[in-house]
Amino acid sequence: MAQQTAYELFYWPGLPGRGEFVRLALEAAGAPYTDHARHPNGLAAMQALLDAANQSCPPFAPPFLRDGPLLIGQTAAILLHLGRRHGLAPAAEADRLWCHQIQLTIADLVTEAHDTHHPVSASLYYEEQKPEAARRAQDFRDNRMPKFLGWFERILAANPAGSSHLVDQAPSYADLSLFQAVEGLRYAFPHASARALRKAPHVAALAASVAGWPRIAAYLASPRRQPFNQNGIFRHYPELDA
Amino acid sequence: MAQQTAYELFYWPGLPGRGEFVRLALEAAGAPYTDHARHPNGLAAMQALLDAANQSCPPFAPPFLRDGPLLIGQTAAILLHLGRRHGLAPAAEADRLWCHQIQLTIADLVTEAHDTHHPVSASLYYEEQKPEAARRAQDFRDNRMPKFLGWFERILAANPAGSSHLVDQAPSYADLSLFQAVEGLRYAFPHASARALRKAPHVAALAASVAGWPRIAAYLASPRRQPFNQNGIFRHYPELDA
């Protein structure tokens, strides 16, 4: 579907974070968008919308997307919207719901990956919660990451339309999000993710394939793509990997 | 829309948990359903579906709902589906998306409430993570619960159709879920939730109103409604409340 005006994305500047899941969908769709996180006053613009007293649908937290009169928060809700408008989700209702279910499971994985370094509070520094982080990260490496990746492996292997996409035989926002989650896990937990991905070859193959989709390859090579860093959701602390 | 065959709900026996958000929607819809958690072999039936090797859309975790050929996991995805079929979500696309966005924010609150007593690992006992729980619960009481309830208060106050519902002027699954979340917070954190709810009078009023919807009042008085307990997502440990 043609998009008349450019989307506007609001997110924290300086980190890929959850905003990156939205960027990947916008880039894969070839949709024009303004990324306020890359503008000098982007943080102020984002904060103004979060605080606007006369806003009837204020988002709870970034990222959020403006699409004309709509202001949409929650990454999975944004992708539900973009997926439908840009052919990044299946047309059939059952498949659309399955795609969303996968996305919500990726969102759970992302939250748990974040909480490895912030198990007590997002408003404290990592250095203020290191003992707790060590224990939570161990559980994540030993139990949770393998469980999540094992489930993605299983549904890719069981896809009746083949294992090159999560849903049916077409690219979807779930493919894009799984790619980004795998990239994040590789950055944060190089050792533990390598072990887990050896048992999830379809997941590793899908991630490699998404990186080669023409629009995504162009995006990844552009200055618009931000590297992972120690301010984001996925952070590399060697002591949390093993 | 009429439902030909009964839904089947699969969830852990013996606790309301995330299954309760689905039960409330089914009860409010007056939809016939089999609650496998209340059947002697319900746990085995649930586990069989989680493990079925030939399942093309296996859920990652309970709860999940069978609707004819569909097997849907992720509470918010189940409610998206039930909301549309039973008039428990707005018809207009923008409102439907807003309702879902609210639900996803309630889901985040529920996860954070759970993590107050299990900040390290869901596979360890609370007694194995008490120091971590004390710190996480303090942050939840002081920062997160007030922030979430403050947001729900704000969107209720800002609803142009009035403050008796979260979205527009009709009951939705978001109203039901906020009721359940408030009930859970009151059980788990009687002191801290009372403080927070004094600053969120619209939220408290909505929760009271949902409890009085005829079908919900009948459900709450029935043996189908399970009380909160120390196996669930919302647990009352006096040392985590203050």
Side-chain angles (χ1 to χ4, degrees), chain A residues 35-46:
Chain A
D35 188 344
H36 285 277
R38 294 172 48 82
H39 285 238
N41 67 341
L43 187 59
M46 180 183 95

Side-chain angles (χ1 to χ4, degrees), chain A residues 76-93:
Chain A
I78 299 170
L79 293 174
L80 193 67
H81 179 68
L82 290 177
R84 189 181 334 215
R85 292 179 79 93
H86 295 284
L88 285 170
E93 191 190 340

Side-chain angles (χ1 to χ4, degrees), chain A residues 49-61 70-78 80-81 84-85 93-98 100-102 104-106 108 111 115 118-124 128-132 135-137 139-140 143-144 147-148 151 154-155 158-160, chain B residues 49-61 70-78 80-81 84-85 93-98 100-102 104-106 108 111 115 118-124 128-132 135-137 139-140 143-144 147-148 151 154-155 158-160:
Chain A
L49 280 169
L50 283 170
D51 296 340
N54 60 348
Q55 182 83 36
S56 67
C57 296
F60 180 75
L70 285 178
L71 190 64
I72 312 166
Q74 285 281 358
T75 308
I78 299 170
L80 193 67
H81 179 68
R84 189 181 334 215
R85 292 179 79 93
E93 191 190 340
D95 285 344
R96 209 152 16 101
L97 212 49
W98 174 232
H100 194 55
Q101 184 180 333
I102 296 169
L104 292 172
T105 307
I106 296 172
D108 288 343
T111 294
D115 284 6
H118 277 73
V120 171
S121 167
S123 55
L124 297 174
E128 296 173 281
Q129 47 197 312
K130 283 180 76 166
E132 294 88 348
R135 291 191 74 196
R136 175 124 191 183
D139 182 64
F140 184 76
N143 300 313
R144 301 299 290 171
K147 181 173 173 165
F148 278 107
W151 185 73
R154 180 180 167 201
I155 64 176
N159 184 350
Chain B
L49 280 170
L50 283 170
D51 295 341
N54 60 348
Q55 181 85 34
S56 67
C57 296
F60 180 74
L70 285 178
L71 190 66
I72 312 166
Q74 285 281 359
T75 309
I78 299 170
L80 192 66
H81 179 69
R84 188 182 336 214
R85 292 180 78 93
E93 191 190 340
D95 284 344
R96 207 149 21 98
L97 212 50
W98 174 232
H100 193 55
Q101 185 180 333
I102 297 168
L104 292 172
T105 307
I106 296 171
D108 288 344
T111 294
D115 283 6
H118 276 74
V120 171
S121 168
S123 57
L124 297 174
E128 296 173 280
Q129 47 197 313
K130 283 179 75 166
E132 294 88 349
R135 291 191 75 196
R136 175 124 191 183
D139 182 65
F140 183 76
N143 300 313
R144 301 299 291 172
K147 180 172 173 164
F148 278 106
W151 185 73
R154 180 178 167 202
I155 65 176
N159 184 351

Side-chain angles (χ1 to χ4, degrees), chain A residues 102 106 109 145-157 163-166 174-183 185-186 193 196-211:
Chain A
I102 296 169
I106 296 172
L109 165 62
M145 175 165 46
K147 181 173 173 165
F148 278 107
L149 292 179
W151 185 73
F152 298 124
E153 180 68 14
R154 180 180 167 201
I155 64 176
L156 277 168
S163 302
S164 37
H165 296 289
L166 282 161
D175 290 341
L176 292 161
S177 292
L178 184 56
F179 156 76
Q180 179 65 10
V182 167
E183 288 291 290
L185 292 173
R186 283 181 164 138
S193 69
L197 285 165
R198 272 199 291 277
K199 297 181 185 167
H202 290 104
V203 174
L206 174 62
S209 143
V210 169

